[in-house]
Amino acid sequence: MELLRKWLGHPEDIYNLLRFKMGGYRAVMPRMDTVSGKGCAGGGKRFAVAGARHAVCIFYLVLRALDTVEDDMSIPLDVKVPMLHEFHSHLYQPDWKYTESKEKDRQVLEDFPTISMEFRNLSKVYQDVISDICHKMGVGMAEFLEKKVDSQHEWDKYCHYVAGLVGIGLSRLFSASELEDSIVGQDTDLANSMGLFLQKTNIIRDYLEDQLEGREFWPREVWSRYAKKLSDLAKPENIDAAVQCLNELITNALHHVPDVLTYLSRLKNQSVFNFCAIPQVMAIATLAACYNNQQVFRGVVKIRKGQAVTLMMDATNIQAVKAIMYQYVEEIYQKIPSTDPSSNKTQQVISSIRAASLPGGPMASRHHYSPIYLSCAMLLAALSWQYLSTLSKATEEYVQAGDN
């Protein structure tokens, strides 16, 4: 019955899960030939797509290995700091690996010779991007090993090192592959905002998990206005102040949305667009779920699976993404408490997002069946299933009685 109540509360979820299963996933993962063209030019584009995908894969594995070093609390600081500083140089050392990690992802360090070999097989233009980002990220990670995030400026700086640089690196790879124009890789401010929006969303959502693991990423400049210690926000008696702190940080994160929309509007390749847009719409949906929500300090706040699938299928063009952003900031707007200390700032940033989402034209519509219609349909289906199950059971009992 609990599952049935969830379905009736969000009937569009079950519809979109079925739509995804029945072929909607093709919008998320377009076939190679649908984005490649024909003839010699098409062959060149296919090669570019394949090369870019391989480079992005290696980029991910290299940064995963670097992140594993940063996260491993068993590595002494006098060993970890130089490791982070020099990690990029190991890409050119065929035999280098680290076998003493205790982290769950230690395999990327133990099998690093395989990763570094694949890295060295990439085109030099890809190698240069990956090595440069790895170097900058390692230096940044080392900087924050021994200090906490105090100011909002330092929060931006930390998020730049661990996520903004990822956005910059990916953008440079997209441009290097010629799948995207050179401006995509050159405009590092927009690429940085892409990363900061995702990282801030994760930090905000994961407050309780990070507290339980002894990690603190919320900026002291903000939380110190609401509590003496960051951990105090999880105490029931402090829940009102905790939610106000949460709302202020979400307001901060929302300032990146106009940059996100500008960045996405420049993308031309469908695969690249999907790859970049889907995490961004997931992030805005997550912030909408977290805003003014006490559950952030009591457990895990997640968007529903059906909701996630809907976002994946819908976020395939800039107008649809703008519509999604508009929808979720409106959801936040409706929840702004009049007594919230950040209410004016939240309203202001939402106004700027509205302006970016509706540049003088009609908002792209998001087609769904009426929730009332779907609720009725799901209820009818549930009742029919129950009736047929009962009828089948009664028939079986009647047959068994006749046999006896």
Side-chain angles (χ1 to χ4, degrees):
M1 285 301 294
E2 179 63 27
L3 181 59
L4 181 58
R5 278 195 292 270
K6 288 182 179 179
W7 282 359
L8 295 177
H10 299 281
E12 69 278 8
D13 284 1
I14 189 65
Y15 164 71
N16 284 308
L17 283 166
L18 290 171
R19 186 161 67 98
F20 183 81
K21 184 70 174 178
M22 298 302 290
Y25 61 87
R26 295 191 186 96
V28 182
M29 299 171 286
R31 286 175 51 187
M32 186 79 75
D33 56 9
T34 64
V35 296
S36 61
K38 303 290 184 180
C40 294
K45 185 65 70 90
R46 279 194 295 272
F47 181 80
V49 171
R53 284 176 177 169
H54 193 58
V56 168
C57 178
I58 299 304
F59 186 44
Y60 168 80
L61 290 173
V62 169
L63 298 188
R64 172 54 60 196
L66 180 66
D67 189 56
T68 301
V69 172
E70 183 205 24
D71 288 343
D72 194 332
M73 303 303 291
S74 70
I75 304 176
L77 281 180
D78 60 342
V79 175
K80 184 183 290 190
V81 170
M83 273 186 73
L84 292 172
H85 277 276
E86 300 165 9
F87 198 85
H88 67 290
S89 66
H90 300 320
L91 292 167
Y92 299 97
Q93 299 169 4
D95 298 326
W96 186 89
K97 60 183 176 180
Y98 187 74
T99 58
E100 298 176 33
S101 175
K102 303 296 188 293
E103 281 291 297
K104 64 181 185 302
D105 294 328
R106 60 185 176 274
Q107 185 177 354
V108 290
L109 292 171
E110 295 169 353
D111 294 341
F112 199 76
T114 302
I115 297 172
S116 67
M117 179 184 68
E118 292 296 329
F119 164 83
R120 292 188 300 275
N121 287 335
L122 294 173
S123 299
K124 187 178 185 302
V125 66
Y126 294 145
Q127 290 186 35
D128 290 346
V129 171
I130 295 172
S131 177
D132 179 54
I133 296 298
C134 183
H135 184 200
K136 291 175 179 175
M137 188 176 291
V139 171
M141 286 176 167
E143 178 182 336
F144 279 90
L145 277 179
E146 297 183 272
K147 72 175 185 180
K148 294 183 178 180
V149 179
D150 285 328
S151 66
Q152 293 185 67
H153 172 73
E154 285 186 333
W155 197 36
D156 282 358
K157 191 176 182 181
Y158 171 76
C159 291
H160 163 74
Y161 283 139
V162 301
L165 283 172
V166 179
I168 292 170
L170 287 170
S171 300
R172 289 170 61 186
L173 291 177
F174 298 151
S175 292
S177 68
E178 299 184 358
L179 292 174
E180 300 295 345
D181 292 338
S182 58
I183 186 63
V184 172
Q186 292 168 357
D187 195 336
T188 55
D189 286 341
L190 292 187
N192 187 57
S193 278
M194 292 281 285
L196 262 61
F197 185 57
L198 299 181
Q199 186 64 21
K200 287 181 178 181
T201 298
N202 290 341
I203 287 173
I204 291 167
R205 179 200 60 200
D206 294 341
Y207 164 84
L208 191 60
E209 178 184 333
D210 288 335
Q211 281 293 301
L212 294 174
E213 295 183 8
R215 300 185 301 229
E216 295 188 354
F217 299 112
W218 283 25
R220 177 186 294 271
E221 179 185 342
V222 175
W223 64 255
S224 62
R225 293 198 288 268
Y226 301 93
K228 292 183 179 180
K229 297 186 297 182
L230 182 56
S231 58
D232 289 345
L233 294 178
K235 296 178 179 178
E237 62 268 26
N238 297 329
I239 192 62
D240 290 340
V243 169
Q244 291 177 352
C245 181
L246 167 70
N247 291 348
E248 182 173 346
L249 290 181
I250 290 177
T251 299
N252 176 297
L254 288 174
H255 280 89
H256 298 292
V257 173
D259 278 355
V260 167
L261 293 175
T262 301
Y263 180 95
L264 293 174
S265 69
R266 291 176 173 173
L267 301 180
K268 297 179 179 180
N269 181 275
Q270 188 65 60
S271 293
V272 172
F273 185 91
N274 293 359
F275 179 83
C276 295
I278 290 172
Q280 302 295 329
V281 296
M282 296 287 188
I284 191 67
T286 299
L287 289 183
C290 290
Y291 186 82
N292 210 48
N293 188 349
Q294 298 180 1
Q295 185 61 25
V296 172
F297 304 95
R298 297 170 177 164
V300 180
V301 176
K302 292 183 178 180
I303 59 177
R304 305 180 309 276
K305 289 183 179 179
Q307 187 181 6
V309 164
T310 303
L311 291 170
M312 289 170 62
M313 290 189 293
D314 285 357
T316 56
N317 63 77
I318 187 60
Q319 289 305 318
V321 170
K322 287 180 177 180
I324 292 167
M325 292 291 187
Y326 188 96
Q327 171 192 335
Y328 283 108
V329 296
E330 285 301 306
E331 186 177 311
I332 292 173
Y333 186 84
Q334 296 301 321
K335 294 192 290 185
I336 298 175
S338 59
T339 57
D340 190 275
S342 304
S343 60
N344 288 337
K345 290 182 179 178
T346 310
Q347 290 168 354
Q348 289 171 7
V349 70
I350 286 178
S351 294
S352 69
I353 296 171
R354 284 171 174 163
S357 299
L358 301 173
M363 182 178 65
S365 62
R366 300 180 64 201
H367 298 291
H368 299 292
Y369 285 110
S370 161
I372 296 176
Y373 172 84
L374 281 172
S375 292
C376 292
M378 292 305 300
L379 181 59
L380 179 61
L383 292 173
S384 298
W385 177 81
Q386 187 176 22
Y387 169 75
L388 290 172
S389 297
T390 304
L391 180 63
S392 175
K393 184 178 180 180
T395 302
E396 184 178 345
E397 291 174 350
Y398 176 79
V399 171
Q400 289 176 347
D403 290 342
N404 293 333

